Amino acid sequence: MGMITMVCSAKDGVGKSTACVFLADALSDMGKRVLVIELDNGLRSLDVYAGVYGMTVFDIFDVLNGRCEPDRAIVKAPAPRKNVYVLSAPYNFESLKGEQFVKLCNALNSHYDNILIDASCLSDIQVAASAVAMNAIMVATADPAGVRDARIVADRLKDLAVPKMRLLLSRIEPSRIALGVVPDLDFCIDNIGLQLIGVVPEDDEIALSAAMGIPLEKKSLSKSVFDNIAERLYGNDLPLAFQ
């Protein structure tokens, strides 16, 4: 059976979906077959970031409502991506039913080494949490409101007894920390209350690669950040690769 990881956030705009895509790339570079499931109903962006925009015909609700089989809705990301597959959210808002989603994840889990679930609103996070066997990654920014909201969602996940939760601090600009514009990393970790798995810098390469639907450059710092997050997800003790 594969590893299921929910990648969630307390609010939009923190870099959760881009983190999902580039973490999927890093896992595939480790030889893993990766499926990314998007639950941002009505506001989907993962198809753009993964380079499958215009290739999707069916979405997750078509599968859950029996309108098509999963293999018709799951799209393989084009080269140069390897073994990254996407199951998109619908364009229209629909209510996600927990039992259906858990059944789908269990059915798909034997076909992939990793399933990453991209979830944002609290209701979808709660549904996704019921399908998570091992991991949850909370993506948060280092601003006071972001830290507070991430703590609220982290506490909710603890109430749901998610076994292993980690914190990914995103869009970090060291100069802003040095100037006191945003709190330092220790403050964020202590106040959100989760173990740190990675720190993603504010980087134009990340924004450009996501907008173009292409992977990060192999030798870039940002690529190293996600490569090390993937290794740490598997319990390997690597540095954060953040400067």
Side-chain angles (χ1 to χ4, degrees), residues 126-170:
Q126 292 176 173
V127 169
S130 63
V132 174
M134 302 177 191
N135 301 290
I137 296 176
M138 168 68 68
V139 182
T141 50
D143 61 276
V147 170
R148 179 197 60 193
D149 293 349
R151 176 57 184 262
I152 292 170
V153 175
D155 286 345
R156 180 59 181 146
L157 291 177
K158 291 174 184 177
D159 292 341
L160 295 169
V162 175
K164 187 179 291 186
M165 298 183 289
R166 263 78 66 88
L167 173 65
L168 176 59
L169 291 172
S170 180

Side-chain angles (χ1 to χ4, degrees), residues 189-210:
I189 295 166
D190 291 343
N191 281 270
I192 296 173
L194 297 177
Q195 180 184 0
L196 188 67
I197 194 172
V199 178
V200 178
E202 182 72 90
D203 188 349
D204 288 343
E205 184 196 351
I206 292 176
L208 180 61
S209 295

Side-chain angles (χ1 to χ4, degrees), residues 31-49:
K32 309 296 184 184
R33 179 179 166 93
V34 187
L35 172 64
V36 186
I37 301 176
E38 183 176 32
L39 298 184
D40 278 352
N41 298 344
L43 298 171
R44 76 187 197 187
S45 57
L46 204 87
D47 56 340
V48 174
Y49 301 156

Side-chain angles (χ1 to χ4, degrees), residues 19-32 34 84 223-231:
C20 260
V21 169
F22 295 134
L23 178 55
D25 287 340
L27 290 165
S28 72
D29 287 342
M30 293 170 61
K32 309 296 184 184
V34 187
V84 174
K223 180 68 169 67
S224 297
V225 167
F226 287 103
D227 287 345
N228 288 12
I229 291 170
E231 293 283 355

Side-chain angles (χ1 to χ4, degrees), residues 5-174:
T5 304
M6 174 175 62
V7 182
C8 63
S9 65
K11 62 178 185 176
D12 293 331
V14 301
K16 167 183 54 63
S17 295
T18 55
C20 260
V21 169
F22 295 134
L23 178 55
D25 287 340
L27 290 165
S28 72
D29 287 342
M30 293 170 61
K32 309 296 184 184
R33 179 179 166 93
V34 187
L35 172 64
V36 186
I37 301 176
E38 183 176 32
L39 298 184
D40 278 352
N41 298 344
L43 298 171
R44 76 187 197 187
S45 57
L46 204 87
D47 56 340
V48 174
Y49 301 156
V52 300
Y53 178 72
M55 298 171 60
T56 56
V57 177
F58 300 102
D59 58 52
I60 186 172
F61 280 94
D62 291 316
V63 177
L64 294 176
N65 293 323
R67 294 190 286 265
C68 73
E69 293 299 316
D71 60 354
R72 297 188 67 193
I74 294 171
V75 176
K76 188 178 189 298
R81 287 195 157 93
K82 303 175 296 182
N83 291 323
V84 174
Y85 299 79
V86 177
L87 179 53
S88 293
Y91 281 119
N92 298 320
F93 289 92
E94 296 190 48
S95 178
L96 185 65
K97 297 179 181 179
E99 291 182 2
Q100 289 179 313
F101 184 69
V102 172
K103 184 177 180 180
L104 175 63
C105 287
N106 288 339
L108 294 173
N109 200 18
S110 61
H111 300 284
Y112 297 91
D113 299 301
N114 293 89
I115 295 177
L116 302 179
I117 303 171
D118 179 350
S120 57
C121 73
L122 191 55
S123 60
D124 288 344
I125 288 172
Q126 292 176 173
V127 169
S130 63
V132 174
M134 302 177 191
N135 301 290
I137 296 176
M138 168 68 68
V139 182
T141 50
D143 61 276
V147 170
R148 179 197 60 193
D149 293 349
R151 176 57 184 262
I152 292 170
V153 175
D155 286 345
R156 180 59 181 146
L157 291 177
K158 291 174 184 177
D159 292 341
L160 295 169
V162 175
K164 187 179 291 186
M165 298 183 289
R166 263 78 66 88
L167 173 65
L168 176 59
L169 291 172
S170 180
R171 308 191 67 175
I172 300 299
E173 176 54 66

